[in-house]
Amino acid sequence: MRSTIPKVLHRVAGRSLVAAVLDTAESLAPSVIVVVVGSGRARVREELAGRRVKFAVQDPPRGTGDAVRCALAALRSGTGPVVVLSGDAPLLRAETLSALVARCRKDALDLAFLTFRPPEAGALGRVVRDGRGRVRKIVEAKDAGPRETKIGEVNAGVYCFSAEALARTVAALKPNAKTGEYYLTDAVE
């Protein structure tokens, strides 16, 4: 963003991006909310002072899978569901999150996640389906081949896991050969 302000602290409609995300997350009445912080963490902690959250530190940043790994230590043991959100998605609605969690519970899913079809997929991860329409994997745009870049369905970065599946999956993640990052998107495959 070419800014000295941490991305999640930029303001939209009078509040920070992360505050908007937390307001939505709190609508689910979770037993615990964990905010993963890295550089600029003192400013993020200050912004969220007085909120009922725990913090986990990811330093250095090594991808979304690593961020979730950092957060798991702060979660209580249980069966979930565990909702994973990005701190820079302020327009997510409570109704959408509630429906995602309800679907995960109703069908006893290990993982459910949101997708969408933007006019331009750009740098977003593509959702790869098989001939029967079943999701097979998510391919990050920077790792996508010519065929995958033509896919219009993309990952919204909003996940609901059973706690057991999340712990098992995160423990098995391997770093990406190109970037060294741990992609949470690999959990889908």
Side-chain angles (χ1 to χ4, degrees):
M1 291 185 68
R2 299 174 194 215
S3 172
T4 58
I5 299 170
K7 183 179 184 181
V8 299
L9 295 184
H10 282 266
R11 302 188 87 69
V12 174
R15 61 185 175 165
S16 66
L17 297 176
V18 69
V21 171
L22 288 176
D23 289 346
T24 304
E26 288 168 348
S27 73
L28 296 175
S31 60
V32 64
I33 295 177
V34 180
V35 176
V36 179
V37 293
S39 64
R41 60 184 158 267
R43 292 173 77 179
V44 175
R45 286 179 192 260
E46 182 180 315
E47 170 74 15
L48 301 179
R51 293 194 85 135
R52 193 181 62 99
V53 298
K54 292 184 177 185
F55 292 94
V57 176
Q58 183 193 30
D59 191 17
R62 297 184 308 170
T64 53
D66 183 60
V68 171
R69 182 179 294 137
C70 294
L72 283 175
L75 291 176
R76 296 184 194 129
S77 61
T79 57
V82 178
V83 176
V84 179
L85 305 170
S86 298
D88 62 353
L91 300 179
L92 190 60
R93 295 179 5 200
E95 298 84 1
T96 304
L97 276 186
S98 293
L100 179 67
V101 171
R103 174 70 187 267
C104 203
R105 283 184 168 146
K106 175 182 167 275
D107 295 336
L109 300 173
D110 284 340
L111 167 61
F113 67 101
L114 299 180
T115 71
F116 67 105
R117 293 182 179 276
E120 298 275 335
L124 300 170
R126 304 316 200 270
V127 177
V128 178
R129 294 178 180 268
D130 66 17
R132 299 168 97 184
R134 294 178 298 197
V135 173
R136 289 297 171 210
K137 62 183 176 177
I138 297 172
V139 177
E140 296 296 336
K142 59 188 160 203
D143 298 322
R147 186 180 216 177
E148 293 158 335
T149 57
K150 293 178 182 174
I151 296 171
E153 183 181 16
V154 299
N155 175 30
V158 177
Y159 308 87
C160 183
F161 287 89
S162 73
E164 182 181 278
L166 180 59
R168 185 176 63 245
T169 301
V170 168
L173 291 176
K174 304 286 185 232
N176 178 276
K178 291 180 185 175
T179 66
E181 292 180 305
Y182 294 84
Y183 294 162
L184 186 59
T185 52
D186 288 347
V188 172
E189 190 173 3

